[in-house]
Amino acid sequence: MNSDSDLQIAGDILEVPHLLQAPREHPATVAEFVGLARSIAADRSQWEHLVRYDATTRWYHRLRTGPGYEVWLLSWVPGQGSGLHDHGRSSGVLTVLDGTLTERTERGTRVLATGAQRVFAPGYAHEVVNDALEPAVSLHVYYPGLTEMPMHTSSACEARTEARPVTA
């Protein structure tokens, strides 16, 4: 029987740094952007003190930027909505930090509770509304950074109103 362990044979991988991938300072994949949103959501101290509520317009604050991406914090009082829009050439991750939001698309309606996340590609059209009686807060990561938000006039999102709850 051989008494040499795999570690003795192969050596400690941490001792050969040239074989390790350098950790990325900024996200570069969809999974990493989702992870970024989750880590910010989990650390309320990063965002909670910044939130403001405005009864006349949706409030928003750019929380962070990185190479080619932006992170936005938005608040929604009851009844406020985005209108039907897409995000131009940007992909994104929407995360509900507090409260409940409703997302309407041509495919139907989803109720997004605290912790729910939606990932979308360029050209994805939706409307986000606070249909609840309490305020809501959401986090939005856009890659590349948001440079346009074309509004749509189609009522396709209103055609299907069956709400499906979505949680984390």
Side-chain angles (χ1 to χ4, degrees):
M1 180 176 343
N2 189 348
S3 64
D4 291 332
S5 72
D6 289 343
L7 183 58
Q8 290 169 326
I9 295 168
D12 185 350
I13 189 72
L14 297 177
E15 295 300 320
V16 284
H18 64 282
L19 296 177
L20 297 175
Q21 289 186 351
R24 293 184 221 214
E25 184 180 352
H26 298 285
T29 66
V30 172
E32 289 172 344
F33 282 112
V34 168
L36 171 65
R38 285 185 181 164
S39 69
I40 294 171
D43 185 359
R44 294 180 77 89
S45 68
Q46 288 189 54
W47 55 268
E48 189 172 41
H49 66 283
L50 298 169
V51 176
R52 303 290 178 264
Y53 297 99
D54 187 331
T56 59
T57 185
R58 279 186 307 130
W59 174 89
Y60 51 90
H61 172 76
R62 186 168 32 204
L63 189 61
R64 182 184 299 181
T65 61
Y69 73 90
E70 300 178 310
V71 180
W72 289 87
L73 186 63
L74 282 76
S75 71
W76 312 73
V77 298
Q80 285 181 336
S82 65
L84 181 58
H85 67 281
D86 68 56
H87 304 93
R89 62 187 191 97
S90 299
S91 296
V93 179
L94 178 156
T95 304
V96 179
L97 301 177
D98 261 337
T100 303
L101 294 171
T102 301
E103 180 191 39
R104 295 184 180 101
T105 69
E106 65 181 13
R107 298 186 66 190
T109 300
R110 292 178 186 265
V111 176
L112 307 172
T114 299
Q117 289 189 297
R118 300 287 291 146
V119 175
F120 53 86
Y124 176 77
H126 68 163
E127 176 180 28
V128 179
V129 179
N130 182 354
D131 284 334
L133 298 176
E134 299 294 325
V137 179
S138 59
L139 184 81
H140 304 250
V141 180
Y142 299 109
Y143 179 83
L146 194 61
T147 58
E148 60 180 320
M149 197 171 102
M151 301 304 290
H152 298 250
T153 57
S154 169
S155 61
C157 288
E158 298 171 11
R160 299 180 63 191
T161 58
E162 178 183 325
R164 296 178 285 158
V166 177
T167 57

